[in-house]
Amino acid sequence: MHVGFFIVAAVALSAQAAFAQETFTVAPKSVADEKAVFATVESANVVPARARIGGTVVELAVKEGDGVKQGQIVATIGDEKLALQMKSLDAQIAGLEAQFAQAQTDLARAEDLFSKGTIPKTRLDEARTAFNVATNTLKARTAERSVLAQQVTEGKVLAPTSGRVLKVPVTTGTVVLPGETVATVAERNFVLRLRVPERHARFLKAGDPVRIDGEEFGKSGAQFGTIRLVYPQIEDGRVVADAAVANLGDYFVGERIRVWVSAGERTSIIVPGSFIVTRFGIDYARVRKDAAVIDVPVQRGRAMPRPDMPDALEILSGLKSGDVLVRP
């Protein structure tokens, strides 16, 4: 008996779910008054890879359009003066090492003779002073060589961040100065940069949704994003804002895409497009009246897809609140 009861309940629930999927109750809703604007695919941050030393570009490891990782070698800068200075310091260090060895030997001999009372203490102090001078001079030259070796290492220009190379303004053989840009890298956090007329600025705020036609970047159906940042400065009568969109392309930086943004709100009737059928150029909705279902002509508005209703369609006339639509 209990099993039969559960079977009947499951059948009733499935029938209710099927009925809900096949019908739609019309109710006015507050919708965004969308306006179409153009946005460009841009990186949130464009970072220059700069030369840390002056010299000549010996090797370029990247070109425009290449993807790079943070710390990757972008170019190598060489300076012949550094090599000559390195050779000079190597020779000086070799001479100082010989002086250090001689001073160490003299100090050991002086300590031995002083212990036997053969030489006065002043001779021992002189030997110890000569040893200390030789030691410190060798340390100073070794430190200078370390600084020079670091400068040679800094001849490798590294990518400051992971991303895509936008521009390489130098070629092999170009003479560059310290701090000069060798390559420009766009971070991979690509965004849509919108420029909205300032009369719509009061309607634009962070967190608002935006809609993009998927065909704009090779996808089917509408794509949705969220405004991440609204810049406070108005440029040429336009408000600049950044919108985050999932799976946004990262190659063609600066590509223009049409985006629909909110410019206020209004009340309208929105129904799924699958409940509207077109016959002989006239749109009809099947409306349930008591036990009968009749076809009611409606005036179709524009498509207004939303995340919860991808085929949302605005109805301008023909339906009223409370009508129950039946899927044709």
Side-chain angles (χ1 to χ4, degrees):
M1 176 177 179
H2 292 292
V3 175
F5 172 77
F6 285 123
I7 293 176
V8 171
V11 171
L13 289 175
S14 62
Q16 290 178 0
F19 179 77
Q21 293 178 357
E22 296 298 327
T23 61
F24 179 83
T25 302
V26 176
K29 295 183 178 180
S30 178
V31 297
D33 188 11
E34 294 181 331
K35 302 295 182 183
V37 298
F38 276 101
T40 55
V41 179
E42 296 184 18
S43 173
N45 296 305
V46 178
V47 187
R50 300 183 183 274
R52 293 177 287 179
I53 64 171
T56 304
V57 178
V58 178
E59 180 184 3
L60 276 176
V62 297
K63 62 182 183 299
E64 286 84 351
D66 287 350
V68 294
K69 295 183 178 180
Q70 186 176 13
Q72 179 179 333
I73 296 176
V74 173
T76 303
I77 298 174
D79 191 350
E80 295 182 358
K81 296 191 299 296
L82 295 179
L84 295 175
Q85 292 175 10
M86 187 80 74
K87 291 181 180 179
S88 174
L89 286 176
D90 288 340
Q92 293 180 37
I93 289 173
L96 291 173
E97 287 176 346
Q99 292 181 10
F100 172 78
Q102 182 63 42
Q104 191 176 26
T105 303
D106 293 343
L107 177 61
R109 184 182 299 112
E111 289 176 344
D112 181 58
L113 293 175
F114 178 75
S115 65
K116 296 177 180 180
T118 306
I119 60 174
K121 190 175 185 303
T122 56
R123 290 285 302 277
L124 176 62
D125 292 340
E126 290 175 358
R128 183 173 287 113
T129 301
F131 174 76
N132 291 335
V133 170
T135 301
N136 292 329
T137 305
L138 179 60
K139 288 182 179 179
R141 289 293 183 272
T142 304
E144 289 181 14
R145 191 186 187 285
S146 299
V147 172
L148 201 60
Q150 179 63 28
Q151 289 180 350
V152 173
T153 303
E154 290 178 352
K156 296 178 180 178
V157 181
L158 307 179
T161 184
S162 299
R164 189 171 299 281
V165 178
L166 294 184
K167 191 176 182 181
V168 181
V170 299
T171 60
T172 303
T174 303
V175 177
V176 296
L177 299 176
E180 199 167 335
T181 300
V182 176
T184 303
V185 181
E187 286 185 345
R188 290 195 180 276
N189 56 335
F190 286 83
V191 297
L192 280 180
R193 185 150 293 165
L194 295 76
R195 290 171 174 81
V196 183
E198 60 182 330
R199 63 179 178 275
H200 301 313
R202 60 191 180 93
F203 301 109
L204 204 63
K205 61 183 184 298
D208 285 349
V210 297
R211 177 170 61 88
I212 307 100
D213 294 332
E215 292 78 8
E216 295 282 349
F217 47 95
K219 298 183 181 295
S220 60
Q223 305 292 320
F224 300 93
T226 305
I227 293 180
R228 188 176 66 180
L229 175 65
V230 179
Y231 292 90
Q233 184 175 0
I234 297 178
E235 300 177 358
D236 297 329
R238 296 182 180 276
V239 178
V240 182
D242 289 344
V245 180
N247 302 320
L248 189 64
D250 65 347
Y251 189 84
F252 292 110
V253 179
E255 180 182 5
R256 287 165 57 86
I257 295 177
R258 187 174 61 176
V259 181
W260 298 86
V261 299
S262 174
E265 291 187 350
R266 56 187 174 83
T267 302
S268 181
I269 292 178
I270 304 296
V271 302
S274 58
F275 283 80
I276 304 300
V277 63
T278 302
R279 292 196 300 269
F280 304 107
I282 300 177
D283 298 318
Y284 293 92
R286 303 192 69 187
V287 180
R288 184 184 299 276
K289 295 291 186 180
D290 298 330
V293 177
I294 61 174
D295 289 341
V296 176
V298 296
Q299 184 178 359
R300 177 197 297 259
R302 68 182 182 184
M304 302 185 67
R306 301 182 302 178
D308 59 338
M309 192 185 297
D311 62 340
L313 183 66
E314 182 180 15
I315 300 300
L316 302 179
S317 64
L319 298 178
K320 64 180 183 300
S321 178
D323 286 346
V324 177
L325 305 185
V326 179
R327 191 187 301 274

